[in-house]
């Protein structure tokens, strides 16, 4: 079946612009995660949804970052007034069930470059 | 602290060599889960294995094997008879239970290059 998809795959933004990154999880997956991966680093957690509820946003680096999942499927990560330090790959992952032991399935990521 | 350390930044081997990727973790929890993911140049993280803290049994899957030792807080990954297609960045990750957290904490990754 189809995996997690993300769009756009690449995004170049000028400093100060707003961007919106989309994630389509695997159909029926309850949980959805966003991670930020800087060059040469491991992914770092940003936020987590269970259905439409955002249960953990402790990893969002500033109030310029906002995520939503209004109908419990597609999610959008929005970054306002982008800064150069926001340049990274943004990874989305989904998981079929609630529960700690299930693995997360990752999308290909969106590479954001802020110039 | 909840932390994963992958001390090897880069490893280069010749095809058919065996290679072990190290992972050391720190957690206060008694219940936790450990994962390995592979990230090929395409960028997508591919799940390889999950282990929970109650199961120290080692696992083998084809050319891949994992050695989980709670006594040393390590979860090492060995590729036997490496192949060029194994070239990728490999991440070890920890999921702990404190506070009901669902996030994965990743190490910085080990870049493996298998040369023909």
């Amino acid at each position: 079946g189809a995996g997690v998809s993300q769009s756009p795959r690449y995004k170049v933004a000028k400093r100060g612009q707003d961007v919106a990154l989309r994630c389509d999880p695997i159909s029926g997956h309850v949980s959805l995660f966003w991670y930020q991966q800087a060059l040469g680093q491991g992914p770092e957690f940003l936020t987590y949804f269970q259905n439409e509820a955002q249960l953990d946003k402790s990893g969002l680096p500033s109030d310029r970052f906002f995520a939503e999942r209004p109908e419990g499927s597609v999610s959008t990560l929005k970054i306002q007034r982008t800064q150069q330090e926001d340049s990274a790959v943004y990874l989305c992952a989904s998981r079929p069930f609630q529960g700690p032991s299930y693995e997360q399935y990752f999308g290909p990521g969106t590479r954001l470059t802020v110039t | 602290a909840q932390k994963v350390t992958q001390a090897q930044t880069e490893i280069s081997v010749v095809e058919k060599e065996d290679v072990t990727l190290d992972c050391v973790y720190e957690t206060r929890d008694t219940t936790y889960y450990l994962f390995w993911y592979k990230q090929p140049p395409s960028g997508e993280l591919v799940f390889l294995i999950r282990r929970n803290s109650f199961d120290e049994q080692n696992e083998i899957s084809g050319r891949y094997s994992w050695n989980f030792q709670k006594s040393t807080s390590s979860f090492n990954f060995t590729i036997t008879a490496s192949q060029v297609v194994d070239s990728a960045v490999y991440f070890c990750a920890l999921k702990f239970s404190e506070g009901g957290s669902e996030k994965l904490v990743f190490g910085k990754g080990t870049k493996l290059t298998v040369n023909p």
Side-chain angles (χ1 to χ4, degrees), chain A residues 43-65:
Chain A
E44 292 196 0
F45 171 81
L46 294 176
T47 187
Y48 157 62
F49 291 85
Q50 184 178 311
N51 295 305
E52 69 278 5
Q54 189 175 20
L55 298 186
D56 185 353
K57 52 182 181 179
S58 63
L60 294 176
S62 77
D63 58 8
R64 296 185 296 103
F65 286 70

Side-chain angles (χ1 to χ4, degrees), chain B:
Chain B
Q2 317 278 10
K3 184 180 173 183
V4 174
T5 301
Q6 295 180 255
Q8 305 150 307
T9 306
E10 293 194 41
I11 299 176
S12 182
V13 299
V14 177
E15 207 170 16
K16 298 184 182 175
E17 282 187 36
D18 298 348
V19 57
T20 295
L21 309 182
D22 297 335
C23 172
V24 174
Y25 62 91
E26 294 177 37
T27 179
R28 293 184 295 269
D29 286 7
T30 55
T31 301
Y32 53 89
Y33 300 83
L34 295 163
F35 301 80
W36 275 95
Y37 281 86
K38 174 182 180 179
Q39 189 173 43
S42 61
E44 189 165 332
L45 281 159
V46 177
F47 165 78
L48 295 177
I49 191 171
R50 173 189 71 241
R51 248 311 166 251
N52 71 53
S53 53
F54 300 117
D55 181 3
E56 284 194 75
Q57 187 173 7
N58 292 327
E59 182 158 338
I60 298 174
S61 175
R63 296 185 296 107
Y64 295 171
S65 62
W66 291 269
N67 184 328
F68 177 29
Q69 293 199 342
K70 288 178 75 171
S71 61
T72 55
S73 296
S74 65
F75 186 42
N76 296 338
F77 172 31
T78 297
I79 302 174
T80 303
S82 59
Q83 300 177 1
V84 173
V85 293
D86 296 327
S87 297
V89 181
Y90 291 85
F91 291 97
C92 181
L94 165 70
K95 189 208 165 303
F96 51 93
S97 302
E98 181 182 331
S101 174
E102 295 293 332
K103 64 184 177 184
L104 292 177
V105 175
F106 285 84
K108 292 189 175 183
T110 297
K111 181 179 181 181
L112 173 65
T113 302
V114 181
N115 298 297

